[in-house]
Amino acid sequence: MQTIFETIKSIAHKIDYAIKTEDLGYIGGTNSSGEDQLKLDVKSDLIIEEAFRDVSIVKALISEEKEGMLELHDNGRYIVCYDPLDGSSLADVNLSVGSIFGIYDGNPQGSNLVASAYVVYGPRVELVIATKDSKPKHYRVINDEFTFISDIELNSKGKLNAPGGTQKNWASHHKAFIDSLFADGYRLRYSGGMVPDLHQILLKGGGLFSYPGTTDVPNGKLRQLFEVMPFALVYEQAGGEAVNDKGDRLLELIPSHPHDTSPCFFGSNEEISKLKQAYQEAR
């Protein structure tokens, strides 16, 4: 497993360099999730694929930018599912973006997720690694090396509110719930990038990130294998919760397709408790 983490660190340096030097324009096509592809998306995907070709314990890769599974090593153990550059459309305005990795031991589903990691490319490059047996570890690049900063632990209640999705397409009960958080004094923190927004909530002690099902995307927009479940592991190991719109743990999801999506909510215990109550009352 440590070999995978070290590979992710080397990948992070290369993607960070690409963000700073490569063309930020669109390539003219869409990825397997139906989103417009940036040249940086393709470059980042290639960097990750090439890096893991040399890691024999990785059996296969599943990427947001690919339709299916890419087999690498027949005798490998782990399947790595990843979003090579989440929020890539923010790079041209110099906002933070990130890479997300889920490491599965066996079929890619929540119960087989044994570790996850994400990288934030911003004013500083940071990395968070989570496993099932410890709190998430926070690293920062200092003098070109990833240096351990601290474990991450959420407070039982936070102050930040990051609501995703187009508001005109929210269900009325979701809008009422989000409005109630603001009425209680929660502060809006939403950049349009999943990685920086969830990272901010983690490092600032707590709050809620929400991406509900909406009238235009009833099953949510975020992908289970390489966005939703990797962050669910991070939040649970930090002492928080990660659930869907039914209140079920996101780590209990069993995708039927590599690009399946899910409504998702990540946060401190008190915010998730309020969310469950609001959604239960709406049923």
Side-chain angles (χ1 to χ4, degrees):
M1 185 65 70
Q2 193 61 36
T3 303
I4 293 176
F5 296 149
E6 291 302 317
T7 302
I8 290 173
K9 291 177 183 178
S10 70
I11 286 167
H13 286 295
K14 292 176 182 178
I15 292 180
D16 182 54
Y17 181 77
I19 292 169
K20 290 177 169 63
T21 61
E22 298 277 343
D23 187 338
L24 300 179
Y26 285 94
I27 201 168
T30 59
N31 62 19
S32 296
S33 298
E35 297 176 334
D36 292 336
Q37 265 185 322
L38 286 161
K39 295 176 183 178
L40 267 180
D41 291 318
V42 177
K43 177 70 173 181
S44 301
D45 187 58
L46 182 60
I47 288 170
I48 295 170
E49 179 184 328
E50 290 179 342
F52 280 117
R53 283 190 181 278
D54 295 328
V55 182
S56 61
I57 60 173
V58 174
K59 179 180 179 63
L61 300 176
I62 298 177
S63 167
E64 180 188 19
E65 304 302 322
K66 293 180 172 62
E67 178 59 35
M69 184 181 298
L70 176 65
E71 300 284 348
L72 292 184
H73 305 102
D74 290 341
N75 295 323
R77 177 174 179 176
Y78 301 105
I79 296 175
V80 178
C81 301
Y82 64 94
D83 184 345
L85 198 61
D86 178 77
S88 56
S89 63
L90 301 174
D92 65 341
V93 293
N94 210 27
L95 292 180
S96 295
V97 295
S99 300
I100 313 169
F101 302 86
I103 302 152
Y104 298 84
D105 187 357
N107 291 331
Q109 61 187 56
S111 60
N112 292 334
L113 181 67
V114 293
S116 63
Y118 68 87
V119 183
V120 184
Y121 311 101
R124 298 181 290 196
V125 178
E126 299 194 324
L127 167 70
V128 172
I129 293 173
T131 63
K132 286 186 171 181
D133 57 4
S134 66
K135 294 192 179 300
K137 308 293 183 184
H138 177 206
Y139 301 84
R140 180 178 302 139
V141 172
I142 300 174
N143 296 324
D144 294 326
E145 298 289 336
F146 277 96
T147 302
F148 176 72
I149 303 300
S150 66
D151 289 344
I152 297 175
E153 185 170 5
L154 284 165
N155 297 326
S156 60
K157 181 181 184 299
K159 299 178 180 179
L160 304 183
N161 186 14
T166 305
Q167 293 191 28
K168 73 171 185 176
N169 298 324
W170 286 352
S172 58
H173 61 275
H174 181 75
K175 184 180 187 309
F177 168 66
I178 294 298
D179 288 346
S180 72
L181 293 182
F182 286 130
D184 285 342
Y186 283 75
R187 295 192 287 270
L188 174 65
R189 294 292 186 270
Y190 190 77
S191 71
M194 183 184 192
V195 171
D197 290 341
L198 282 167
H199 187 60
Q200 181 173 194
I201 290 171
L202 284 165
L203 296 194
K204 295 292 187 181
L208 181 74
F209 175 98
S210 56
Y211 207 110
T214 56
T215 55
D216 55 336
V217 280
N219 292 322
K221 179 184 177 182
L222 299 176
R223 272 75 51 169
Q224 296 178 20
L225 285 180
F226 32 79
E227 292 174 320
V228 170
M229 290 191 287
F231 264 110
L233 180 62
V234 174
Y235 267 70
E236 287 196 1
Q237 291 305 115
E241 296 183 65
V243 301
N244 64 12
D245 54 345
K246 298 178 178 61
D248 299 326
R249 292 175 65 230
L250 294 172
L251 287 178
E252 294 176 352
L253 293 172
I254 304 176
S256 59
H257 185 276
H259 295 273
D260 278 354
T261 60
S262 174
C264 54
F265 307 88
F266 307 84
S268 309
N269 294 332
E270 184 162 328
E271 284 77 31
I272 295 295
S273 178
K274 290 178 180 178
L275 169 94
K276 290 178 180 178
Q277 181 178 354
Y279 269 68
Q280 178 66 36
E281 291 173 353
R283 293 193 189 108

